[in-house]
Amino acid sequence: MPGLEDLYREIILDHYRSPRNRGELETPPAVRVDGFNPLCGDEIIVYIDVADDGTISDVAIGGQGCSISQSSASMMSAAIKGKTVTDARSLISAFKGLMSIHETDIGGDGSEAEMGITDDTFSIDNTDDISLGDLEALKGVVKFPVRIKCATLSWNTLTQALDEAQPV
Amino acid sequence: MSLPADIKADFPVLRQQFDGTPLIYLDSGNTSQKPQSVIDAMANYYETANANVHRGSYELAVRATAALEGARAKVAKFINAPSTSEVVFTKNATESMNLMARAWGSANLAAGDAVVISEMEHHANIVPWHMLVAETGIELRWIPVDADGQLDLTDLDRLLDGTKLLSVTAMSNVLGTLNDIPRLAAAAHDAGALMAVDASQYVPHLATDVQAMGADFVVFTGHKMLGPMGIGVLWARAEILEAMPPFLGGGEMILNVTKEGFTTAEIPWKFEAGTPMVAEAVGLGAAIDYLSELGMDNVRQHEVELTAYAMHKLTEDHGEKITIHGPVEPSARGGVLSFVYEGESGEVHPHDIAQVLDQAGVCVRAGHHCAKPLMSVLGANATSRASLYVYNDESDIDQLSASLHAADELFSF
């Protein structure tokens, strides 16, 4: 059985105790999407403001949930703020890859290269306090399959918000 | 009398260790563990009696049919049903509820008719009615739950006015609240309504007498009472079952089929289309034998004593940090302890509590417990829930309490 230290990394607890971009945005102009985890009742509210040039000019997170869902939402908000919608979509794909690598371990050797997850995937322009390392901290979640839905709730909600703000 | 001191030894799953940690199973409100006798009875059925029922003319099929009908007789006796023919086997309590809502509802409910449920219902006693609201325009009314976790019956007469059915849980799966079913049934009957009881959390833990309840329908499931998953029960009074149209159509449930139509079998088979879950029925029968041997009064006494110990221990060890929902008096509730934990740095989320507890081998459920309307009344998105059964003892509670300290520590910043 994997240990708690694989799950509750310090950076995760930091985002949990001091969530970034917590709050609300006025709608409109912002888009608001509510995400639910029907298994546990956790709720994440994602607000994004997308400028005419396709930049996510502001983001806010509401709702309540466990340390994993809250910290994932916090890290996500910090990672996408100021990025373009295109970059945000790339990040969503990369994050989902991070969450599913170990789900497919049973089949192949599960190496990151084989799954198409390389460091390049994460090479978005990092500013602020978020880095590749922050998101990597959530990698331990895949050892606790029940919690993957906690970690991905905000990202699935973000996908819906991006679709509403800027239809593909 | 009390339960045997070495009762855990009857349950193979509890003998396992996870990474050297004994399993401490506190999620019996979700599903119960199975004694060796239930596992053996099911294996024995497949080894000695397996055939399809009610149709083979050979000895093996006679044994299989006897196994199924013998289990039905055990269920009838266990709940003091007046007749074995009133016991319908289903997949689980949810299917029992849907059978009732669909078959009885389609013949007896029309637009404008009201069904009354309560805010402490499991989704199984909510969603089937929501579906009928959408499809036939019935009205769904709710008995509120007060701050003590009891039904607020102040407006019961008004709620029941024009109502065709009152459907309420005998014991809340979140709060442990035991509802006064005979009183509710009398009120329903006075208003001209029928009384349905979700007894999924009640039958496993308290001696059940469907006649004393005054109920017209009682639903419960086998897997929460030491039996296997895949078998549930709908009990209803014979005259109600006789008048109800069938639920699922197919083999087993017919008397005759022609190109023009069909006639139904007698009750209870009228409601049991297709090949039934015979081994599961046998397993349920073995679970009933096991519980009967323990004595349901002893089961109840054990749970009241252990619930009292748990409430005292958790409160003594964690003081103001822990809030246990539901009735304060252990004898007025079941062994279901839903709690929220306010640690040094705010509430420790139930998912995080359950995760830390799991490291110590302690299994509790975290979440909304399939009772979201109730969670909304409690003002919580989720709670942690420890639910007790015959194989739990004080040492399990001690480990739960110690592990909660570990969760508190990890989430104190």
Side-chain angles (χ1 to χ4, degrees), chain A residues 1-4 7-8 13 16-17 36-43 64-68 144 146-147 150, chain B residues 18-19 21 347-349 351-353 355-356 358-361 365-368 372 380-382 410-411 413:
Chain A
M1 190 156 63
L4 286 179
L7 185 64
Y8 297 122
L13 295 176
Y16 180 47
R17 80 180 75 122
F36 296 94
N37 180 346
L39 294 175
C40 62
D42 280 5
E43 183 184 359
Q64 50 186 321
C66 66
S67 59
I68 301 303
F144 299 84
V146 174
R147 306 302 289 275
C150 307
Chain B
F18 284 74
D19 287 353
T21 308
E347 188 191 338
V348 186
H349 192 277
H351 262 197
D352 293 318
I353 286 179
Q355 194 82 60
V356 177
D358 184 45
Q359 292 292 309
R365 183 166 174 190
H368 55 58
K372 287 196 82 170
N381 261 31
L410 182 64
F411 285 92
F413 306 128

Side-chain angles (χ1 to χ4, degrees), chain B residues 99-110:
Chain B
L99 194 170
M100 174 175 71
R102 293 277 141 187
W104 179 83
S106 70
N108 294 280
L109 295 175

Side-chain angles (χ1 to χ4, degrees), chain B residues 48-383:
Chain B
T48 64
N50 180 56
N52 215 327
V53 295
H54 296 140
R55 57 194 83 168
S57 51
Y58 41 88
E59 171 61 22
L60 197 65
V62 172
R63 281 191 205 171
T65 304
L68 177 68
E69 296 308 322
R72 196 190 308 276
K74 285 179 185 179
V75 172
K77 184 167 177 241
F78 193 64
I79 61 174
N80 196 31
S83 165
T84 303
S85 67
E86 296 176 343
V87 174
V88 179
F89 284 137
T90 62
K91 178 174 70 184
N92 49 34
T94 297
E95 186 179 293
S96 298
M97 273 289 176
N98 279 272
L99 194 170
M100 174 175 71
R102 293 277 141 187
W104 179 83
S106 70
N108 294 280
L109 295 175
D113 286 339
V115 169
V116 177
I117 62 175
S118 87
E119 287 179 341
M120 68 167 75
E121 299 310 313
H122 187 282
H123 292 165
N125 192 22
I126 298 174
V127 180
W129 307 116
H130 273 320
M131 290 164 72
L132 283 184
V133 168
E135 288 166 30
T136 62
I138 66 162
E139 182 192 350
L140 189 57
R141 299 177 185 166
W142 299 77
I143 301 174
V145 172
D146 67 20
D148 299 324
Q150 302 283 354
L151 294 182
D152 176 356
L153 300 178
T154 317
D155 282 335
L156 184 62
D157 289 343
R158 190 182 54 77
L159 283 170
L160 286 174
D161 187 34
T163 291
K164 289 281 181 70
L165 183 76
L166 172 59
S167 186
V168 172
T169 183
M171 183 181 127
S172 163
N173 69 315
V174 176
L175 302 168
T177 309
L178 290 163
N179 290 321
D180 187 348
I181 297 299
R183 179 187 167 187
L184 290 166
H189 293 152
D190 285 348
L194 295 183
M195 179 74 204
V197 181
D198 176 1
S200 300
Q201 299 287 340
Y202 189 95
V203 175
H205 304 284
L206 291 95
T208 303
D209 182 335
V210 295
Q211 298 182 69
M213 279 179 168
D216 300 295
F217 301 92
V218 174
V219 310
F220 58 99
T221 191
H223 73 92
K224 293 186 199 292
M225 53 187 289
L226 309 181
M229 292 182 178
I231 185 150
V233 172
L234 168 68
W235 171 83
R237 289 195 293 110
E239 65 192 77
I240 295 172
L241 290 175
E242 301 275 12
M244 276 164 59
F247 176 46
L248 301 175
E252 288 273 349
M253 53 75 73
I254 49 90
L255 198 60
N256 190 29
V257 180
T258 65
K259 282 161 75 174
E260 286 70 42
F262 71 99
T263 49
T264 58
E266 294 178 353
I267 62 167
W269 304 291
K270 174 168 115 178
F271 299 103
E272 296 180 358
T275 295
M277 55 303 271
V278 184
E280 286 72 19
V282 167
L284 177 57
I288 286 172
D289 288 342
Y290 184 90
L291 286 170
S292 300
E293 186 128 333
L294 293 178
M296 288 308 292
D297 289 342
N298 294 327
V299 170
R300 174 63 180 155
Q301 186 191 335
H302 171 77
E303 288 179 20
V304 170
E305 287 170 6
L306 195 55
T307 300
Y309 177 81
M311 294 175 86
H312 175 76
K313 174 75 177 168
L314 293 173
T315 307
E316 187 178 71
D317 289 0
H318 300 278
E320 300 279 305
K321 289 180 176 177
I322 196 165
T323 303
I324 301 171
H325 288 295
V328 176
E329 174 54 48
S331 63
R333 62 180 296 152
V336 171
L337 301 165
S338 284
F339 58 90
V340 290
Y341 200 93
E342 197 72 27
E344 299 290 348
S345 312
E347 188 191 338
V348 186
H349 192 277
H351 262 197
D352 293 318
I353 286 179
Q355 194 82 60
V356 177
L357 262 49
D358 184 45
Q359 292 292 309
V362 179
C363 310
V364 299
R365 183 166 174 190
H368 55 58
H369 316 296
C370 298
K372 287 196 82 170
L374 176 60
M375 301 306 284
S376 154
V377 171
L378 297 176
N381 261 31
T383 67

